[in-house]
Amino acid sequence: MTSAAVPQHVPAHPGASGPAVSARMSAARRRDTAPELALRRALHARGLRYRVTYPVPGNRRRTIDVAFTRAKVAVFVDGCFWHGCPEHGTQPHANAGWWATKLAANAARDRDTDRLLTDAGWTVVRVWEHEDPDTAADHIRIVVSAK
């Protein structure tokens, strides 16, 4: 794969555009988000057992949101803003250049993580935060069962 898939360096953030924005961004969870918890509840209700925040083989600084280690299925619950959802993703106006670089780096990191996992024999499933957790859990159950 080309070096374009490798996440690019993001310079230090220039600072929040205001105290309310700073507080909102500081409060954003990195793990155990509401969509992630809803999906995990739906998976557990279907009898599926999994690991949470499991290290990505080949890059232990990254983690899999929900990992089925025996089946080698990695599930990521991607936030619409942070991962550039084509339906709900937004582009901030304040510090627009910095945010464009940051969101592009996030997308490149996602592609690189997918590549690392695929190369290690894993199947990657990405779920948007706005997707119905029951529908997503049904799809994941099929993928895990097929392995």
Side-chain angles (χ1 to χ4, degrees):
M1 178 160 268
T2 65
S3 61
V6 177
Q8 57 191 350
H9 172 73
V10 178
H13 191 273
S17 58
V21 172
S22 178
R24 187 171 61 247
M25 293 306 228
S26 294
R29 296 184 68 96
R30 291 177 180 250
R31 58 177 281 193
D32 298 334
T33 63
E36 193 177 315
L37 293 174
L39 178 62
R40 289 181 357 210
R41 278 191 297 273
L43 291 168
H44 194 272
R46 284 158 179 75
L48 297 172
R49 300 302 178 257
Y50 47 82
R51 303 283 302 270
V52 178
T53 60
Y54 190 78
V56 170
N59 190 328
R60 300 188 66 77
R61 291 187 54 160
R62 299 179 193 169
T63 58
I64 301 167
D65 294 337
V66 179
F68 297 91
T69 55
R70 287 191 183 139
K72 286 191 166 185
V73 174
V75 179
F76 294 93
V77 182
D78 291 341
C80 290
F81 173 74
W82 295 105
H83 297 271
C85 171
E87 190 175 336
H88 300 109
T90 59
Q91 294 293 322
H93 296 291
N95 299 320
W98 185 88
W99 279 109
T101 302
K102 170 64 177 158
L103 298 177
N106 287 356
R109 186 186 62 236
D110 289 346
R111 288 190 306 273
D112 187 56
T113 299
D114 291 352
R115 180 192 56 79
L116 287 170
L117 287 164
T118 302
D119 288 352
W122 287 68
T123 299
V124 177
V125 177
R126 289 199 173 264
V127 178
W128 288 111
E129 70 176 334
H130 65 264
E131 289 184 50
D132 176 61
D134 288 316
T135 303
D138 288 339
H139 172 69
I140 293 164
R141 179 175 53 185
I142 291 167
V143 172
V144 170
S145 297
K147 300 287 268 176

